[in-house]
């Protein structure tokens, strides 16, 4: 996978200033280019009239909200400079292998990475965005309808979710201690949720948007479970690894770890905790 339909915002800002020139030069050049531009416009227009296929593919539904100019959107990202390159993935201290669980809360000095906004108010780490976009595009190209229902969460949002769960349990008659313990089984305590890293997304089938075990039977999950590693994602909380992850089976929670780690984890049937334990230091 070396071709991405849309680069991150970083690529955009790096590419744009190149076209700058001094105003006088630009005027002269534009006068010279005007007849060519008109000819181009004419040809382009007639192409449309003749039913040319320049219309964007109906399968390409970008997750990103912002529209980038077409010439920039076509620019492939060189895999050698991609942040998730395999050479780095073997080292467990990389950004994409950050371990966050009940025993490993987010580091005190954790800086929220540059984010790419997605549709529906969602966001993901810009470095993982091209892979997510490609996975969603390819899943749709297979005739399916994946829908992101959760992504990056601020600490405040995680606290709000935890408090909400706590309140519900207290209202149900749990003692404060019991409620606290029970809430943590369902909602990660603030600072221990992978969603705060901006590397995790919950994806459901548009036809079945319920977070329960039945989700694994949906065509979208079947496709994602088979292919997510190709894009650097893992199903983070498999059914038989709950003892190690501390989280129950979640057949909708995908975590970006880079392709090398994702493929090793999938092939060797590991969870991230096991992979990192065995990874070279
Ligand atoms: Zn999740």
């Amino acid at each position: 996978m070396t071709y991405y339909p849309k680069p991150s915002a970083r690529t955009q800002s790096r590419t744009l200033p190149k076209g700058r020139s001094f105003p006088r030069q630009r005027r002269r050049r534009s006068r010279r280019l005007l007849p060519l531009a008109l000819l181009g416009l004419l040809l382009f227009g007639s192409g449309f009239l003749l039913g040319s296929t320049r219309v964007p593919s109906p399968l390409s539904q970008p997750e990103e909200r912002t529209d980038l100019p077409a010439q920039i959107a076509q620019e492939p990202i060189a895999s050698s400079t991609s942040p998730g390159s395999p050479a780095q993935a073997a080292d467990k201290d990389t950004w994409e292998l950050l371990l966050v669980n009940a025993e490993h809360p987010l580091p005190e000095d954790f800086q929220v990475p540059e984010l790419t906004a997605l549709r529906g108010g969602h966001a993901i780490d810009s470095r993982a965005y091209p892979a997510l976009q490609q996975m969603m595009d390819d899943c749709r190209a297979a005739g399916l309808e994946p829908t992101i229902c959760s992504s990056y969460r601020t600490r405040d949002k995680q606290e709000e979710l935890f408090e909400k769960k706590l309140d519900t349990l207290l209202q149900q008659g749990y003692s404060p201690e019991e409620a606290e313990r029970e809430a943590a089984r369902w909602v990660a305590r603030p600072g221990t949720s992978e969603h705060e890293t901006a590397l995790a997304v919950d994806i459901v089938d548009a036809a079945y948007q319920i977070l329960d075990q039945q989700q694994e039977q949906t065509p979208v999950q079947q496709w994602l479970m088979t292919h997510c590693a190709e894009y650097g994602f893992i199903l983070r909380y498999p059914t038989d690894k709950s003892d190690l992850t501390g989280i129950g089976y979640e057949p909708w929670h995908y975590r970006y770890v880079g392709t090398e780690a994702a493929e090793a984890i999938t092939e060797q049937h590991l969870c991230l905790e096991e992979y990192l334990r065995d990874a070279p230091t």
Side-chain angles (χ1 to χ4, degrees):
M1 183 199 58
T2 54
Y3 174 74
Y4 302 112
K6 273 177 179 275
S8 68
R10 218 158 10 98
T11 316
Q12 184 189 14
S13 57
R14 203 179 55 226
T15 320
L16 281 177
K18 276 189 192 165
R20 274 203 200 144
S21 59
F22 293 105
R24 205 191 294 163
Q25 285 176 321
R26 200 160 50 207
R27 264 202 303 278
R28 256 206 312 260
R29 200 182 301 156
S30 64
R31 221 176 291 145
R32 236 182 299 135
L33 290 175
L34 193 65
L36 277 175
L38 281 171
L39 185 69
L41 206 66
L42 212 71
L43 287 171
F44 176 76
S46 61
F48 252 110
L49 288 175
L50 293 169
S52 116
T53 52
R54 277 188 59 92
V55 253
S57 155
L59 295 170
S60 175
Q61 294 179 32
E63 300 310 312
E64 196 176 9
R65 283 185 302 186
T66 48
D67 285 322
L68 302 177
Q71 72 273 23
I72 294 171
Q74 294 304 317
E75 183 192 314
I77 295 172
S79 56
S80 56
T81 57
S82 154
S85 67
Q88 294 173 352
D91 176 359
K92 70 176 179 183
D93 286 329
T94 55
W95 60 271
E96 69 268 57
L97 291 178
L98 177 63
L99 180 66
V100 174
N101 59 29
E103 287 165 23
H104 296 85
L106 272 176
E108 290 286 317
D109 60 351
F110 176 73
Q111 299 275 327
V112 177
E114 182 188 310
L115 301 171
T116 295
L118 312 175
R119 285 181 298 162
H122 293 296
I124 187 169
D125 186 320
S126 294
R127 296 165 293 187
Y129 164 71
L132 175 67
Q133 179 70 60
Q134 189 69 59
M135 183 167 78
M136 297 293 278
D137 279 350
D138 291 351
C139 187
R140 289 188 181 112
L144 306 170
E145 223 183 316
T147 302
I148 293 173
C149 64
S150 192
S151 57
Y152 168 65
R153 282 178 209 151
T154 61
R155 175 65 57 89
D156 285 352
K157 181 71 191 174
Q158 192 65 32
E159 270 166 16
E160 186 190 314
L161 290 173
F162 192 79
E163 290 300 320
K164 210 169 133 189
K165 189 73 196 175
L166 211 54
D167 282 350
T168 309
L169 293 166
L170 289 169
Q171 277 168 25
Q172 287 171 4
Y174 281 81
S175 73
E177 297 78 34
E178 284 170 344
E180 176 88 20
R181 218 175 16 249
E182 185 68 7
R185 284 187 59 211
W186 302 99
V187 181
R189 289 177 203 273
T192 70
S193 169
E194 267 203 342
H195 286 282
E196 289 178 47
T197 67
L199 293 171
V201 277
D202 292 343
I203 308 175
V204 291
D205 194 312
Y208 187 81
Q209 302 195 20
I210 301 168
L211 300 181
D212 66 11
Q213 199 168 334
Q214 296 305 308
Q215 185 63 232
E216 73 171 5
Q217 303 299 331
T218 65
V220 162
Q221 297 307 338
Q222 294 290 312
W223 191 95
L224 287 174
M225 286 176 187
T226 308
H227 296 285
C228 67
E230 297 161 26
Y231 304 88
F233 285 85
I234 53 166
L235 185 73
R236 179 68 177 87
Y237 305 117
T239 182
D240 55 349
K241 301 285 183 183
S242 297
D243 288 351
L244 294 161
T245 63
I247 306 277
Y249 184 37
E250 292 197 357
W252 55 81
H253 180 110
Y254 292 88
R255 157 72 194 265
Y256 184 78
V257 292
T259 45
E260 184 177 328
E263 276 164 6
I265 285 168
T266 307
E267 278 161 22
Q268 295 166 47
H269 194 64
L270 305 171
C271 62
L272 187 57
E273 281 79 2
E274 290 172 299
Y275 177 74
L276 292 177
R277 203 165 50 206
D278 296 336
T281 44

